[in-house]
Amino acid sequence: MKFGVFYELQLPKPWLPGDEARLFHEALDQVVLADRLGYDYAWEVEHHFLDEYSHSSAPEVFLSAAAARTKNIRVGHGIRQVIPNYNHPARTAEGLATLDIISNGRVDFGIGEGATRLELGGFHIPAKEKRAMAIEAGEQIANMMALDPYPGFEGKYFSMPCRNVLPKPVQKPHPPMWMACTNRDTIKVAASLGVGALAFSFLNPEEAHAWSEIYYGIIKSDQCRPIGHTVNANIAMVSNFSLHKDRAEAIRRGHEGFEFFGYALNALVAHDTVPGRTNMWGEYLEKRGDRTEEMVRAAALADNYASGIGTPDDMRKHLRAFQASGIDQVIFMQQAGRNRHDHICEALELFAAEVMPEFKAEVAAREERKARDLAPYIDAALKRKNWMKPLADNEIPVVKASVAKAQVNQTSAAE
């Protein structure tokens, strides 16, 4: 099993001068620490206009800074908003390839579409068509990175003439592709497209097992028709994360922030919002009350406590259950609510020292078995793919000069 860290860049109110800058720099310091400790991935989301919930509107900038400061950890768009209203597909392809070069081939590319009216309405995106818009764009972004030149495209939601989209990524044909998944329907979509599933839902092991069976069942079936030039058959699941040798202290440090993450997400979808005038943190605290000590007492009495918020042994049980469910990567939600930077760093270090090594030791053999098992299914899926036909040299259209040839000749003669 592999491990990642995940950033929404949450900033509950009240906001004091310098809070945003501190938040960004602390997150970058955490990624640097995670790289040094041997974590596999650093994922950064893209959201727009979501007060308190996410201040991560330019992940390409954050991930570039992270890539420049690290050596081994993979930097993942988890996700990039690919609908053309957010980001033109050619600009996404250019940015991904540039980041892949800067990071020496450490980029992962998750495609997403947005879910709230704040985002969709802000960019005039029809909610009923957002999935189709994202899939169309995602497939063409892969083509842009892989083909030289890109032949051009006339689609339902965007069009573009033939151009050579530069630079090209280090990873060939392009970085691994993923898709945000929040329910069983989207896990089916990800598998049918041959992309990894970023499971941004907090599941119990039984539900995780069901998702895994659905996903890999479709990967192995004739329903899988890849949108990329490769198949990335992987499931990554988000987990809560707060680690301490004292379970009660882990709960006191981390559970409030983790709960706020879910509360804020629900509030943005289900409640009316006045832009710039939210009070989600205050509302959350008022509705939550003082539940922390109640949870500490309940956890102390539990016979079989397995959670991402607890001791190293609690975490170990938590991860073994998900590993048995077929999950390939666990992404830790550690920066949430008002969780403190020093507590996050201490938890990252404790996990790396006492839990990570035994899972790391199993990765190579598991990956080899998995690749061997999936190889014939992936080959079959790529044969079903609707490939964009590359252009022969004599098929590449000439782009006419902006100045007429006769005018150029007259100017030269006058000189």
Side-chain angles (χ1 to χ4, degrees), residues 139-159:
E139 182 170 22
Q140 295 312 310
I141 291 165
N143 286 331
M144 290 173 185
M145 288 188 283
L147 298 177
D148 180 12
Y150 174 64
F153 179 71
E154 290 290 334
K156 183 175 180 180
Y157 301 109
F158 87 99
S159 61

Side-chain angles (χ1 to χ4, degrees), residues 256-289:
E256 185 180 73
F258 173 68
E259 272 192 349
F260 174 74
F261 175 85
Y263 174 85
L265 178 59
N266 179 68
L268 288 166
V269 174
H271 301 168
D272 295 340
T273 303
V274 179
R277 296 296 180 267
T278 61
N279 182 32
M280 285 193 292
W281 180 254
E283 293 165 357
Y284 161 70
L285 290 180
E286 183 179 348
K287 292 178 180 179
R288 181 180 193 267

